[in-house]
Amino acid sequence: MKVVIKFLKDVFNLKVFILFLISSVFLYYDSLDYNKRALHYEAKFAKYCAIFSIAIAIILYIVTKILP
C-alpha cells in the first residue's frame, strides 16, 4: 500500500489534476453533442464518465495532499 501511495504522490500533482478536469469537460461537451444526434446511450455514458473522472480527480488530489 505504501508503494501505491508513493507512486500517487510522485505522479499526481496539480498539472495532472487540471488535465483530469479538462478531459472531463471535453467528455461532458461530447455528451451534449450526442444528445443532439439522438444517441442517448452514448450521451449518458459520456456524462457519467465525466462525473466519474471529476470525482476521481478530486479524491486523488485530496488523498495525495493529506497522506504522508
Side-chain angles (χ1 to χ4, degrees):
M1 187 67 178
K2 287 186 178 185
V3 175
V4 173
I5 294 171
K6 185 181 181 312
F7 175 75
L8 284 176
K9 283 186 145 295
D10 289 341
V11 172
F12 198 84
N13 55 15
L14 186 63
K15 292 178 184 176
V16 177
F17 178 71
I18 292 171
L19 185 64
F20 264 88
L21 294 181
I22 291 172
S23 64
S24 56
V25 167
F26 282 130
L27 274 171
Y28 180 73
Y29 283 127
D30 278 344
S31 73
L32 296 178
D33 187 44
Y34 288 144
N35 269 334
K36 289 179 185 175
R37 296 180 185 190
L39 298 170
H40 300 294
Y41 178 74
E42 287 83 359
K44 283 184 184 178
F45 184 74
K47 190 182 295 185
Y48 290 143
C49 284
I51 293 169
F52 182 73
S53 178
I54 290 172
I56 290 296
I58 291 170
I59 290 169
L60 285 176
Y61 189 74
I62 291 171
V63 164
T64 56
K65 294 301 176 189
I66 290 176
L67 291 178

